[in-house]
Amino acid sequence: MKEILFKAKRADWRKLPREEWWVEGYLTQRKGSDGKVFESWIILDAYEQIGVLNMKSALVSETGFNCYKVDYETVCEYTGLTDKNGRKIFENDICDRKEKFPEIVTYHDGDWTLDYSYASGKESGYNYCNLGFYVRNRGGVEVVGNIFDNPELLEEGD
């Protein structure tokens, strides 16, 4: 069964060292009466995360979970797949499979894809291939960044 995990940038990421910007865990959100999300939190699995993050700055909610308030715009879902180096692949990651352009991990038509529509000036979903196929059958997918921290990877090079 696929692990339902998310990652997101902490709400206070600008004040932190780069290695503490992102947190990974379980997503919970608070919505207003209009249904719009106004607050997002990542709940950590304390046993996995101790030692990885500075737990002093984590909040302990009424339920006893360690959690961080996160920037909703950066929430990314785990695909259930790992790259050739064993790194988890998340939505909005930028992957390299040694093609002409790096590709963005997106969810399209019920499946995770490697999307390179941006390279032809098209909207997401125009040019893409199946992520699972390339991870499982070709083994050449490598996460090289994400759209939030590394937008320069999507600029046309030489």
Side-chain angles (χ1 to χ4, degrees):
M1 187 157 107
K2 179 184 147 193
E3 194 173 15
I4 308 295
L5 288 176
F6 293 85
K7 75 173 184 178
K9 272 188 170 180
R10 289 176 46 179
D12 61 350
W13 69 271
R14 288 175 185 85
K15 301 175 189 172
L16 300 169
R18 189 175 185 93
E19 64 272 7
E20 293 182 27
W21 287 1
W22 291 88
V23 290
E24 187 178 303
Y26 307 96
L27 180 67
T28 187
Q29 299 175 321
R30 292 175 62 185
K31 296 180 180 181
S33 57
D34 60 358
K36 292 183 181 177
V37 173
F38 70 88
E39 203 169 65
S40 296
W41 297 80
I42 294 284
I43 300 172
L44 308 175
D45 180 335
Y47 297 106
E48 284 183 23
Q49 298 295 331
I50 287 182
V52 176
L53 298 170
N54 179 357
M55 296 307 285
K56 290 186 299 187
S57 62
L59 299 173
V60 178
S61 71
E62 322 64 74
T63 60
F65 291 113
N66 290 316
C67 55
Y68 286 99
K69 187 174 183 180
V70 296
D71 177 353
Y72 173 72
E73 297 295 320
T74 66
V75 171
C76 305
E77 187 174 353
Y78 176 47
T79 64
L81 301 167
T82 56
D83 75 359
K84 68 181 188 177
N85 301 313
R87 184 175 173 182
K88 290 177 184 167
I89 303 173
F90 284 88
E91 175 183 20
N92 297 315
D93 277 346
I94 298 173
C95 292
D96 182 13
R97 61 182 179 103
K98 305 301 180 212
E99 294 295 324
K100 186 174 181 181
F101 303 103
E103 298 157 319
I104 303 167
V105 176
T106 61
Y107 193 75
H108 185 75
D109 284 341
D111 209 352
W112 291 107
T113 65
L114 291 166
D115 194 308
Y116 51 100
S117 302
Y118 73 92
S120 58
K122 304 288 185 181
E123 288 195 29
S124 180
Y126 183 79
N127 291 319
Y128 64 92
C129 58
N130 184 276
L131 174 65
F133 172 79
Y134 282 95
V135 167
R136 290 185 187 102
N137 298 332
R138 301 287 171 94
V141 175
E142 180 178 21
V143 174
V144 293
N146 64 66
I147 64 169
F148 307 104
D149 296 337
N150 315 102
E152 71 280 359
L153 294 175
L154 302 175
E155 295 172 5
E156 285 195 50
D158 36 278

